Amino acid sequence: MIGGVGWAGGPRGGAGVGFVRRVGVYGVLSDGERVLVVRDGVEGEFPGVWRLPGGAVAHAEHPERAVVRAVAEQTGLTVAPGRLRAVIADVTSCPEGVSLHTDRLFFDLTQRDGRSDGGSPGDGLVDRVRWLTLDEAAGLSLTPFTAEVLGLPVTPLPPGTHGSGQSLPPAHPDRRLRFGAYGLVTDPAGRFLLTQIAEGYPGAGLWHLPGGGTDHGEQPTTGLLRELVEEGGQLGRVVELLGVDNLHNPAALGPEGRPLDWHGVRVIYRVLVDVPTDAVVTESAGGSTARAGWFTRAEAGDLPLSDIAALAIGQSGR
């Protein structure tokens, strides 16, 4: 780990650029007109810069549990996660020819126990904890993602702000982290768009939510709308962030030909297709989607559904 965040990703070392992915979780905890923020210490990701409390998603760890743990470690507070407020991706250039993509999830929090009146945790990762009004926070050096989530003006950090003095640890050869964006996609008639998982992929034959893994440097909503065209031939618009699903399969067998320890973090959006057309798979041959179709709620109930599709459809009427 580096800067309190777990790492996973593609090749590093040698010539060219290595691509690394990671997932971070952060909490928005309010106390009347104030919000809780922390300042990164010398070992943190952004030394000397203020941000919302949070940190790593460990391998196989659910993001909701991760934010509770990270906030407790940094502030001493016991919190409960609520609504998933936002998901933002950013890319940073690091030493050793590494391009680092971070998917950051932001939860509204409620306090259950403990007290934080500010101070200096002293673990190197975080050196200050403070309750601030938004006006007070706006006068500090904030990470861009913190300013964006709090609705404050976003100012890029100066070059060299990112704490990149440590070497990145090697990726685990048998572990994979996959961050994906999926859609509960409906049309004006209330039908659901579903896609069938192709042979050779985990869950083959099940009907699934449209979506998939995002590309390096891609925002979640951008990736989802791209996948919607590739997997269903539809143009949609994202109307709501619904939540996050966590998948851990310690022995997933896919195209790699050997079991791998997969951890999937999957954010789910509500998507509306205003002018639906016949569902057709447009991605190149060999993809993970065999076919796509529009289904009423009753028809969907008779299909073999993936866990995430069953969950999203089951909750859609609430």
Side-chain angles (χ1 to χ4, degrees):
M1 298 178 69
I2 181 172
V5 181
W7 299 79
R12 280 181 274 116
V17 176
F19 297 100
V20 176
R21 297 287 296 263
R22 65 180 181 178
V23 176
V25 287
Y26 305 85
V28 181
L29 182 62
S30 299
D31 175 20
E33 296 182 352
R34 302 182 303 170
V35 65
L36 190 65
V37 293
V38 300
R39 188 176 70 182
D40 272 344
V42 293
E43 301 296 329
E45 184 180 2
F46 300 97
V49 180
W50 293 86
R51 59 170 174 82
L52 293 167
V57 175
H59 184 73
E61 186 178 32
H62 195 293
E64 291 181 351
R65 289 195 292 272
V67 73
V68 171
R69 174 183 52 76
V71 170
E73 292 171 352
Q74 295 174 6
T75 70
L77 298 178
T78 300
V79 298
R83 174 178 67 104
L84 180 60
R85 175 185 285 217
V87 184
I88 301 171
D90 55 63
V91 177
T92 303
S93 295
C94 295
E96 305 174 7
V98 170
S99 176
L100 171 62
H101 173 122
T102 306
D103 296 291
R104 306 183 194 268
L105 284 66
F106 301 86
F107 294 89
D108 288 334
L109 303 178
T110 56
Q111 184 175 339
R112 286 184 169 176
D113 194 14
R115 180 176 178 179
S116 179
D117 294 322
S120 305
D123 63 359
L125 298 179
V126 168
D127 63 12
R128 291 294 303 275
V129 180
R130 291 180 62 185
W131 290 95
L132 299 174
T133 66
L134 291 183
D135 286 342
E136 291 170 336
L140 299 177
S141 176
L142 299 174
T143 61
F145 60 82
T146 296
E148 181 175 348
V149 170
L150 294 180
L152 299 174
V154 176
T155 302
L157 294 174
T161 306
H162 194 276
S164 54
Q166 304 176 59
S167 297
L168 307 185
H172 193 288
D174 294 320
R175 287 182 175 175
R176 297 292 186 271
L177 170 65
R178 187 172 189 262
F179 180 87
Y182 293 83
L184 179 63
V185 181
T186 58
D187 68 1
R191 296 182 302 170
F192 298 102
L193 180 70
L194 298 172
T195 60
Q196 190 178 43
I197 302 173
E199 291 297 324
Y201 290 85
L206 297 180
W207 288 88
H208 197 35
L209 295 181
T214 58
D215 291 338
H216 193 90
E218 189 173 48
Q219 294 294 334
T221 53
T222 303
L224 171 55
L225 295 180
R226 170 183 53 77
E227 293 276 358
L228 183 58
V229 173
E230 294 174 355
E231 295 184 346
Q234 307 296 312
L235 297 177
R237 54 187 177 93
V238 175
V239 296
E240 185 183 4
L241 175 58
L242 296 178
V244 60
D245 175 75
N246 191 73
L247 173 68
H248 178 225
N249 187 338
L253 184 61
E256 296 83 6
R258 62 187 177 95
L260 295 173
D261 188 352
W262 275 93
H263 179 203
V265 176
R266 308 181 291 185
V267 291
I268 309 169
Y269 296 87
R270 188 184 300 275
V271 179
L272 181 61
V273 174
D274 294 296
V275 184
T277 60
D278 290 340
V280 58
V281 180
T282 63
E283 63 181 335
S284 59
S288 60
T289 303
R291 54 183 174 141
W294 288 103
F295 302 94
T296 66
R297 181 181 295 274
E299 291 169 338
D302 291 332
L303 297 173
L305 298 174
S306 67
D307 56 349
I308 190 174
L311 175 66
I313 292 174
Q315 293 182 342
S316 64
R318 297 183 181 179

